[in-house]
């Protein structure tokens, strides 16, 4: 209060009592609190300096200071006027004030009973002072705000009130500074947290984009079912497979209704078991989209538990229609390869035998016989052998080494040429109808293979109709601007000639519809079918870069359609008769009979010949003889070197050597591709004398023209 005086002795008693409490139990708490503030106040704060200046000017005192009391010493926060050195805690003004915890007013330190404190204050230039503790929380004081004079002075109540008020402001400023620092730290942490959250959100968005891309590329979507609400949650890919706009919600029963009747019971059973006992499941079943498209889907589901109860199901959903179709095509291709290897090996040996038979029969036919009857028998045997060769060549379609496309043909003309044979195949109680467009397209194919394919289709149609009714063969133009899937091949966009054979027979059961073109698959009784007819047709069409489609309905009938690429431009080359050219020919073949026959044919044609049994002997002969114009070699030979390898070695010795390769069956598609890529002349077995002679003359004529 103004004018109030505090007796020196009374105040000193208070100081002495406070000094005795240095080891207070609150010291530990005080020091802990001090550490929180010290970091805030280590930097000079202009506001504290202003408080010191303000109190000096208001009370007309020379010195004011703010100090914090540590465990051993006090340290300066701010001051105005002269500031003396720090004293040990026992002699420090701040220690007495902090320990007392209340305002201390000393008009004259020399009058104090404690002479030690009196001498310490006098040595610091302090004769009188007023000090208040800096309180940061009730009962916790961390420092002192004081004013001092170098002379004795009586401070009245107003003076003490001003010091106490400004001390309270100093305490508040400390608290505000700490809160500001805490806020800054919290803000910094918050900014760091926000930054991390933004980074996590960016990563989440990036991962989400990547997941959507991967999901789209893989065609796999995710789904979830909440058991309590019966609601489903789908990813975008699941909506896409269902052909539904994203965002539309379904309950579980509605989602299951997308499965057809034959699959719905299976799905319900698996889902119910998952809900009841948490059993995971996986299935592949037919599925009908919202647009009515039938697909094949694969779904996996698992249960999620809470408190021992299944609360939701989650899993994946994938359209595997294309994948399974591709697998079927691959399996079909593997089956055809296996059959091809089998038939190719048989055909190779059979063609060697036929080559000997045909060649010798042809020679016999050209040689004068004693009786016409003998000539007729030889001619009949020769015709039979050539028919056998055609059958062998058809079997070679399975070996994938004989190109089905060989000449420009009109399918309608081919049908007309064999119409009588097709009518006989239909039987007496069936009628054959042929329909064709007036403006017809040509195809690049093999007429005999097309004939065989049509005959197989007509026979199948007859058997499906029990030999009665009508079989219709139609030839029409077919254009498609987009790619179309047919079993088991894929039809590219373009122009095609569509050849269909239709019947109104019993039809093909849906369960076996996709199997009818598999090798050895047949529904006919034992002895009435081999199961190779439709598979041979399929192979012929595939090698012609076309497709085959089987459409059937039980009790209604079947239509089997062949889609063969249109020949856009047909170039007809008419070879002029050439003058006979001779040259020495080296025959290389491991089969003695075939080799002997080839030499006999060539010598009859006027050529000089030599023959060897394998590739190594051929290389030795070429090294010793330099007059060989053509090497006529089999492709498949024992001894570790085939005909193609022989040619490559021989060309290193004789770069001008002309080559003709022959084989009943090469057996390796890569070798056949290399033969075609190298443009080597190739004569398939069995061949006759005229074919061999024509090939030789073509090679020698080209050689002479190049020279």
């Amino acid at each position: 209060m103004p004018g109030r005086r505090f007796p020196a002795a009374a105040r000193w008693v208070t100081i002495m009592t406070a000094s005795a409490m240095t080891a207070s139990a609150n010291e530990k708490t005080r020091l802990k609190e001090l550490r929180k503030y010290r970091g805030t106040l280590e930097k000079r704060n202009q506001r504290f300096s202003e408080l010191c200046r303000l109190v000096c000017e208001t009370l007309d005192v020379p010195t004011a200071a703010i100090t914090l009391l540590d465990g051993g010493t006090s340290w300066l926060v701010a001051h105005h006027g002269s500031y003396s050195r720090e004293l040990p805690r026992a002699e420090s003004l701040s220690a007495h004030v902090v320990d007392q915890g209340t305002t201390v007013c000393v008009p004259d330190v020399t009058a104090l009973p404690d002479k030690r404190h009196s001498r310490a204050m006098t040595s610091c230039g302090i004769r009188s002072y007023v000090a208040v503790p800096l309180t940061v929380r009730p009962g916790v004081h961390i420092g002192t705000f004081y004013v001092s004079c170098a002379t004795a002075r009586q401070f009245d109540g107003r003076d003490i009130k001003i010091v106490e008020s400004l001390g309270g402001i100093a305490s508040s400023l400390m608290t505000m500074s700490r809160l500001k620092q805490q806020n800054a730290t919290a803000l910094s942490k918050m900014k760091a947290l926000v930054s991390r959250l933004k980074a996590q959100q960016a990563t989440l968005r990036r991962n989400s984009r990547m997941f959507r891309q991967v999901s789209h590329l893989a065609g796999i979507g995710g789904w979830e079912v909440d058991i309590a609400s019966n609601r489903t949650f789908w990813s975008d890919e699941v909506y896409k497979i269902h052909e539904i706009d994203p965002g539309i919600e379904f309950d579980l029963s509605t989602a299951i209704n997308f499965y057809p009747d034959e699959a719905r019971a299976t799905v319900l059973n698996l889902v119910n078991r998952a809900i009841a006992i948490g059993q995971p499941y996986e299935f592949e079943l037919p599925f009908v989209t919202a647009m009515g498209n039938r697909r094949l889907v694969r779904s996996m589901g698992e249960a999620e538990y809470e408190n021992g109860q299944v609360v939701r199901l989650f899993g994946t959903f994938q359209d595997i229609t294309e994948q399974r179709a591709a697998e079927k095509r691959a399996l079909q291709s593997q089956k055809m390869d296996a059959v091809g290897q089998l038939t190719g090996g048989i055909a190779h040996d059979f063609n060697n035998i036929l080559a000997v038979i045909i060649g010798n029969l042809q020679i016999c036919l050209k040689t004068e016989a004693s009786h016409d009857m003998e000539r007729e028998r030889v001619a009949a045997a020769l015709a039979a052998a050539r028919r056998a060769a055609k059958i062998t060549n058809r079997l070679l379609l399975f070996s994938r080494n004989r190109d089905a496309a060989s000449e420009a043909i009109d399918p309608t003309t081919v049908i007309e040429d064999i119409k009588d044979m097709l009518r006989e195949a239909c039987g007496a109680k069936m009628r054959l109808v042929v329909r064709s467009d007036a403006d017809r397209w040509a195809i690049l194919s093999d007429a005999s293979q097309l004939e065989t394919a049509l005959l197989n289709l007509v026979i199948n149609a007859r058997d499906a109709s029990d030999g009665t009714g009508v079989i219709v063969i139609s030839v029409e133009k077919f254009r498609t601007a987009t790619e179309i899937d047919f079993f088991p091949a894929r039809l590219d966009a373009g122009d095609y000639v569509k050849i269909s054979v239709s019947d109104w027979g019993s039809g093909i059961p849906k369960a076996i519809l996709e199997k009818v073109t598999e090798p050895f698959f047949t529904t006919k009784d034992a002895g009435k079918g081999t199961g190779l007819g439709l598979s041979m047709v399929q192979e012929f069409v595939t090698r012609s870069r076309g497709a085959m489609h089987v459409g059937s309905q039980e009790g209604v009938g079947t239509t089997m359609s062949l889609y063969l690429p249109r020949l856009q431009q047909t170039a007809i080359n008419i070879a002029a008769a050439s003058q006979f050219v001779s040259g020495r020919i080296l025959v290389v073949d491991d089969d003695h009979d075939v080799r002997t026959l080839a030499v006999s044919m060539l010598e009859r044609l006027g050529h000089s010949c030599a023959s060897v049994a394998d590739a190594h002997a051929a290389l030795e002969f070429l090294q010793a003889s330099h007059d060989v114009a053509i090497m006529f070699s089999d492709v498949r030979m024992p001894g570790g070197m085939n005909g193609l390898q022989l040619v490559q070695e021989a060309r290193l010795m004789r770069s001008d050597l002309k080559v003709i390769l022959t084989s009943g069956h090469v057996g390796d598609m890569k070798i056949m591709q290399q033969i075609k890529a190298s443009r080597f002349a190739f004569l398939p077995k069995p061949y006759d004398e005229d074919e061999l002679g024509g090939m030789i003359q073509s090679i020698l004529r080209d050689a002479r023209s190049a020279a």
Side-chain angles (χ1 to χ4, degrees):
M1 294 179 61
R4 184 180 178 186
R5 293 289 184 267
F6 289 83
R11 301 305 299 167
W12 179 245
V13 172
T14 304
I15 293 174
M16 292 300 294
T17 304
S19 299
M21 299 174 61
T22 303
S24 172
N26 291 331
E27 181 68 6
K28 185 176 180 181
T29 302
R30 191 190 70 79
L31 292 176
K32 181 179 179 181
E33 198 70 23
L34 175 65
R35 284 193 293 272
K36 297 178 182 178
Y37 282 88
R38 184 163 184 170
T40 305
L41 302 174
E42 281 181 344
K43 295 181 180 179
R44 295 291 179 179
N45 191 311
Q46 186 64 31
R47 293 180 180 178
F48 294 125
S49 298
E50 287 295 322
L51 280 177
C52 293
R53 182 187 63 78
L54 178 62
V55 73
C56 287
E57 292 178 354
T58 303
L59 299 182
D60 190 22
V61 294
T63 303
I66 298 175
T67 60
L68 297 182
L69 182 64
D70 206 339
T73 61
S74 62
W75 53 278
L76 183 68
V77 173
H79 77 284
H80 182 77
S82 61
Y83 180 76
S84 59
R85 61 183 178 84
E86 290 287 346
L87 296 173
R89 178 187 174 96
E91 302 175 0
S92 170
L93 184 156
S94 293
H96 292 293
V97 176
V98 167
D99 291 343
Q100 177 64 24
T102 186
T103 303
V104 176
C105 177
V106 179
D108 187 351
V109 298
T110 60
L112 293 175
D114 187 351
K115 299 304 179 182
R116 182 182 176 186
H117 180 69
S118 175
R119 287 192 298 271
M121 293 296 98
T122 303
S123 66
C124 293
I126 298 176
R127 182 77 179 269
S128 59
Y129 64 85
V130 177
V132 296
L134 298 176
T135 304
V136 293
R137 47 183 284 198
V140 179
H141 318 294
I142 62 172
T144 304
F145 176 68
Y146 71 89
V147 296
S148 65
C149 297
T151 61
R153 174 173 173 172
Q154 288 291 335
F155 294 97
D156 58 21
R158 174 178 171 276
D159 296 337
I160 295 172
K161 190 65 176 179
I162 290 174
V163 175
E164 288 178 339
S165 298
L166 293 179
I169 293 174
S171 296
S172 298
L173 286 176
M174 287 184 180
T175 302
M176 290 175 59
S177 296
R178 184 191 170 201
L179 290 175
K180 183 178 180 181
Q181 184 184 44
Q182 288 177 333
N183 290 339
T185 303
L187 182 60
S188 177
K189 290 181 179 180
M190 186 177 295
K191 288 181 178 178
L193 178 61
V194 170
S195 179
R196 286 197 300 271
L197 288 175
K198 288 183 177 179
Q200 290 173 356
Q201 289 175 349
T203 301
L204 184 61
R205 287 193 297 270
R206 183 166 58 251
N207 291 340
S208 179
R209 288 195 301 269
M210 293 173 63
F211 173 78
R212 287 195 300 270
Q213 291 172 353
V214 171
S215 176
H216 174 69
L217 291 174
I220 301 176
W223 58 266
E224 183 178 303
V225 177
D226 183 79
I227 304 301
S229 65
N230 199 31
R231 294 174 59 194
T232 62
F233 304 90
W234 294 347
S235 70
D236 290 346
E237 193 63 27
V238 176
Y239 280 105
K240 180 180 177 182
I241 296 172
H242 281 74
E243 295 186 329
I244 296 175
D245 293 334
I248 301 176
E249 293 186 0
F250 296 93
D251 58 26
L252 181 57
S253 59
T254 305
I256 293 177
N257 285 338
F258 281 94
Y259 293 91
D261 294 340
E262 66 270 20
R264 195 173 301 144
T266 301
V267 178
L268 278 170
N269 180 56
L270 293 173
V271 170
N272 287 335
R273 287 179 64 85
I275 295 173
I277 60 175
Q279 179 175 317
Y281 64 83
E282 178 179 352
F283 62 74
E284 293 182 11
L285 290 171
F287 175 84
V288 180
T289 71
M291 303 300 292
N293 295 315
R294 192 177 179 90
R295 312 296 289 174
L296 181 65
V297 297
R298 179 171 182 255
S299 184
M300 300 174 63
E302 292 186 22
E304 183 176 339
Y305 290 84
E306 287 183 7
N307 300 323
Q309 297 292 324
V310 176
V311 295
R312 64 182 57 86
L313 300 180
F314 64 94
T316 59
F317 192 76
Q318 181 182 14
D319 183 350
I320 59 171
T321 309
E322 302 300 330
Q323 177 183 337
R324 292 295 178 261
E327 290 173 357
K328 287 182 180 179
R329 289 193 289 268
L331 180 60
Q332 178 74 2
S333 178
Q334 291 173 359
K335 290 180 179 179
M336 301 307 289
D337 285 340
V339 175
Q341 292 176 6
L342 173 64
T343 58
I346 296 173
H348 175 265
D349 295 336
F350 195 50
N351 275 334
N352 277 342
I353 297 171
L354 287 175
V356 176
I357 295 173
I358 291 173
N360 283 297
L361 287 175
Q362 191 178 40
I363 292 174
C364 290
L365 192 62
K366 291 183 178 180
T367 304
E368 292 186 5
S370 55
H371 301 290
D372 290 340
M373 182 63 70
E374 293 179 357
R375 293 179 60 83
E376 290 178 5
R377 290 174 178 171
V378 171
L382 181 60
R386 283 174 171 163
R387 285 197 299 273
K390 285 186 177 181
I391 294 174
T392 306
N393 287 338
R394 290 165 187 164
L395 287 175
L396 279 174
L397 286 175
F398 288 110
S399 69
R400 300 178 182 269
N401 281 281
R402 186 69 54 86
D403 194 349
S406 57
E407 59 182 338
I409 59 174
D410 175 11
T412 302
T413 301
V414 173
I415 295 171
E416 292 295 333
D417 289 342
I418 62 169
K419 185 182 287 186
D420 292 339
M421 181 174 64
L422 295 176
R423 282 200 177 99
E424 290 180 7
C426 289
K429 297 182 180 180
M430 294 206 74
R431 186 163 62 94
L432 179 68
V433 177
V434 178
R435 298 170 181 167
S436 177
D437 293 336
D439 181 19
R440 303 196 294 258
W441 286 345
I443 61 174
L444 189 64
S445 187
D446 184 284
S448 63
Q449 293 172 11
L450 179 58
E451 291 172 2
T452 303
L454 291 168
L455 183 59
N456 273 316
L457 295 180
V458 168
I459 291 173
N460 273 280
R462 178 202 66 193
D463 294 342
S465 305
D466 294 328
T468 60
V470 180
I471 295 176
V472 178
I473 302 177
S474 61
V475 182
E476 55 188 317
K477 294 179 286 187
F478 181 83
R479 284 191 169 123
T480 175
T482 58
E483 187 181 77
I484 301 175
D485 283 333
F486 287 109
F487 175 80
R490 185 184 295 274
L491 190 66
D492 296 329
D495 293 344
Y496 295 85
V497 175
K498 178 183 177 182
I499 306 173
S500 300
V501 177
S502 302
D503 66 72
W504 283 264
S506 59
I508 302 172
K510 186 176 181 180
I512 64 171
L513 186 61
E514 294 183 349
K515 299 180 180 180
V516 295
T517 58
E518 295 182 3
F520 306 113
F521 178 83
T522 180
T523 58
K524 299 178 182 179
D525 296 335
K528 294 186 178 181
T530 63
L532 285 174
L534 290 181
S535 61
M536 292 180 67
V537 175
Q538 173 66 59
E539 182 64 17
F540 158 66
V541 173
T542 301
R543 292 184 60 76
S544 298
R545 299 184 304 279
M548 177 178 178
H549 180 250
V550 181
S552 184
Q553 186 175 350
E554 287 189 79
V556 177
T558 301
T559 297
M560 297 194 179
S561 301
L562 312 182
Y563 295 81
L564 301 173
R566 174 192 181 187
L567 180 62
Q568 299 295 337
Q569 183 176 1
T570 304
I572 303 176
N573 298 321
I574 302 176
S578 59
Q579 183 180 356
F580 179 81
V581 181
S582 63
R584 193 172 190 192
I585 300 172
L586 175 62
V587 178
V588 187
D589 201 305
D590 63 296
D591 190 302
H592 176 270
D593 294 337
V594 175
R595 187 172 67 250
T596 301
L597 177 63
V599 170
S600 176
M601 288 180 176
L602 291 170
E603 288 179 344
R604 281 174 50 80
L605 293 171
H607 298 286
S608 173
C609 294
S611 65
V612 293
D614 57 54
H616 298 288
L619 292 175
E620 292 177 0
F621 187 91
L622 290 172
Q623 192 170 15
S625 304
H626 302 285
D627 59 345
V628 175
I630 297 177
M631 182 171 67
F632 180 43
S633 174
D634 193 9
V635 175
R636 293 181 62 169
M637 291 185 295
M641 184 180 295
N642 60 40
L644 183 60
Q645 294 169 330
L646 168 61
V647 171
Q648 294 169 346
E649 292 292 328
R651 285 285 179 89
L652 296 176
M653 300 168 54
R654 291 271 310 279
S655 60
D656 61 337
L657 181 67
K658 304 302 175 184
V659 175
I660 300 176
L661 293 174
T662 184
S663 179
H665 172 61
V666 172
D668 190 329
M669 192 63 180
K670 291 182 179 179
I671 294 178
M672 198 65 200
Q673 290 172 346
Q674 291 175 2
I675 292 173
K676 291 181 178 181
S678 302
R679 298 182 179 276
F680 293 137
F682 183 78
L683 182 63
K685 294 179 182 179
Y687 49 82
D688 59 24
E689 186 176 294
D690 296 334
E691 292 171 333
L692 178 59
M695 180 71 75
I696 294 292
Q697 287 304 304
S698 176
I699 293 294
L700 292 176
R701 182 176 62 254
D702 292 344
R704 188 179 68 172
S705 299

